[in-house]
Amino acid sequence: MLLIGLPSLLARMNPKHPRYQELRESLYRVKAGYAGEKIADKYLARCQFNVPVTILTDVQLLMEKDIRIQLDTLLITPSGLFILEVKNIAGRLICRTNPPHVECQYENRPPIVMECLHMQTENSRQYLQKWLTEEGFEIPIQSLIVLASQKTSVHHAPSDLTLVYAKHLPLYFQSNPFEKTVLSIQQIKSLTRKFTNQQSVYNPFPLSEYFNIDVNDLTPGCICEVCYSPLRRLSERKWLCKGCGNITKFATKRAVYEYFAVFDRELSRKKCKEFFGVENNPAKHILKNLPLQLSGNGKSVLYHIEERILSKELLSRQPESNPQSVPAPAE
């Protein structure tokens, strides 16, 4: 969700904003993480398991009101569960103690501090064990740290922390075959259904609220998808960029979706007028024929959008890459 919404937020922020670089770095990490998971998925697909194995990706479970666990990849096997935590960092990972953390060192960038790998996997394992016990399952759980990039080196890792390069996943599982059986095929199917049915994906929209950004610091209305400058309305459907001269169509539709992703989870006609700087009739026209839900009536009507539809529309309308707003591709 952050991956598809953060470019829109950054596109509407001034690069001199005090939070800009922080959010740019967040997008970099999210993109790197997603790319790493795709690499791990590719090599997992090449594994020739000697038993039936179910592979679940991006597993998210709500444990309690404010506690949720997110697992990059989960393997359900007759011998138990395997948590795969994927790291996509082209640099040196140095495990530190007191307090436990990981220092990431790069050639051309300042180092950053990450959560301790061992504590991260152990927390996930314990929460998952608790969830399984509540569901009536007592199953052994193992954890793997999967390094997506072979340029990653790890130093001073705890001896009980298992690390493997994504490229070596087929060899790892071939060398460590599943032997002891604790789950039948029927139980694996039952457990898979439970994970699927209890998926709890967190919705961070609107991102201004999620990141505590004042919406008054963001550019409203229609912006250019090339250079992110404000657009001037030429006609009902055509908009001209004040910065690069680009002419675009359907800018209002893209801006409405970005409003829900960045500014607020509901939109009134008054807010629509203010956001686009238009009068009543144009505001009504802008909101017409969009896949929005309505609540209330008359002047108090409010417009909403389903998370599923918003995500789909944002994916199809990602802002173009711009070095000023969107970081370099993940290493």
Side-chain angles (χ1 to χ4, degrees):
M1 299 294 282
L2 286 178
L3 181 61
I4 61 176
L6 262 174
S8 297
L9 174 61
L10 285 166
R12 293 178 178 274
M13 288 183 73
N14 187 320
K16 295 182 180 179
H17 189 284
R19 299 285 306 282
Y20 182 84
Q21 290 301 328
E22 172 195 342
L23 297 183
R24 191 168 183 247
E25 184 66 27
S26 293
L27 178 57
Y28 180 92
R29 290 196 298 269
V30 172
K31 290 174 69 176
Y34 180 76
E37 290 169 24
K38 289 298 180 184
I39 292 172
D41 291 345
K42 179 180 73 172
Y43 287 109
L44 268 178
R46 300 180 183 179
C47 293
Q48 297 182 352
F49 300 109
N50 61 339
V51 294
V53 173
T54 297
I55 301 175
L56 301 177
T57 58
D58 193 22
V59 177
Q60 302 190 47
L61 301 173
L62 184 63
M63 300 297 300
E64 299 171 14
K65 183 179 179 180
D66 296 320
I67 299 178
R68 66 180 65 243
I69 57 172
Q70 189 273 329
L71 309 174
D72 293 339
T73 303
L74 182 67
L75 271 59
I76 308 177
T77 81
S79 301
L81 304 186
F82 281 80
I83 298 173
L84 273 60
E85 180 66 37
V86 183
K87 300 297 177 185
N88 188 21
I89 301 169
R92 288 162 50 93
L93 301 183
I94 303 176
C95 300
R96 305 292 193 187
T97 58
N98 195 27
H101 67 277
V102 171
E103 183 179 298
C104 305
Q105 298 181 348
Y106 306 90
E107 288 187 8
N108 303 312
R109 296 173 53 204
I112 62 172
V113 173
M114 285 175 42
E115 182 180 2
C116 170
L117 298 178
H118 184 271
M119 295 191 72
Q120 182 181 7
T121 56
E122 185 59 19
N123 282 340
S124 296
R125 192 192 67 78
Q126 288 190 15
Y127 276 124
L128 181 57
Q129 196 80 68
K130 182 176 182 292
W131 183 87
L132 288 167
T133 299
E134 291 173 353
E135 294 295 325
F137 290 91
E138 292 295 336
I139 312 168
I141 302 173
Q142 297 185 52
S143 300
L144 294 177
I145 297 292
V146 179
L147 307 173
S149 172
Q150 289 193 267
K151 294 181 180 179
T152 306
S153 61
V154 183
H155 305 266
H156 310 304
S159 58
D160 56 347
L161 185 66
T162 305
L163 300 104
V164 60
Y165 288 109
K167 187 176 182 179
H168 298 155
L169 282 171
L171 179 60
Y172 175 85
F173 285 111
Q174 182 181 341
S175 304
N176 298 274
F178 307 110
E179 295 176 351
K180 184 179 178 181
T181 299
V182 297
L183 288 174
S184 66
I185 293 179
Q186 192 59 41
Q187 286 176 314
I188 291 176
K189 290 180 179 179
S190 174
L191 193 53
T192 301
R193 283 194 298 269
K194 287 184 180 293
F195 278 116
T196 303
N197 294 337
Q198 295 196 37
Q199 277 276 62
S200 177
V201 180
Y202 180 63
N203 177 8
F205 300 140
L207 292 181
S208 59
E209 182 178 306
Y210 181 84
F211 288 110
N212 194 26
I213 301 294
D214 188 339
V215 294
N216 294 315
D217 293 338
L218 304 175
T219 303
C222 297
I223 61 174
C224 179
E225 59 187 340
V226 177
C227 72
Y228 306 150
S229 299
L231 299 179
R232 180 169 65 85
R233 190 175 188 136
L234 295 179
S235 64
E236 184 177 299
R237 291 188 176 182
K238 288 186 178 181
W239 294 74
L240 172 68
C241 175
K242 298 178 182 179
C244 67
N246 179 53
I247 295 178
T248 184
K249 296 181 180 179
F250 310 112
T252 53
K253 180 182 289 188
R254 184 176 69 251
V256 168
Y257 294 133
E258 292 189 351
Y259 177 90
F260 286 111
V262 174
F263 289 82
D264 202 344
R265 58 176 54 87
E266 61 184 26
L267 178 61
S268 65
R269 287 181 185 172
K270 180 181 178 181
K271 287 184 178 179
C272 183
K273 287 168 52 182
E274 295 172 351
F275 182 71
F276 286 101
V278 297
E279 298 301 325
N280 281 326
N281 287 339
K284 185 177 180 180
H285 177 77
I286 286 171
L287 298 173
K288 186 179 179 182
N289 299 325
L290 292 179
L292 305 178
Q293 298 175 325
L294 279 67
S295 63
N297 51 62
K299 293 183 179 180
S300 63
V301 66
L302 293 174
Y303 296 82
H304 311 267
I305 190 168
E306 289 184 20
E307 177 188 325
R308 171 183 56 83
I309 295 175
L310 179 58
S311 298
K312 179 181 177 182
E313 293 295 340
L314 287 175
L315 278 171
S316 66
R317 301 172 191 277
Q318 286 273 12
E320 296 294 333
S321 294
N322 182 319
Q324 189 178 28
S325 323
V326 181
E331 292 180 278

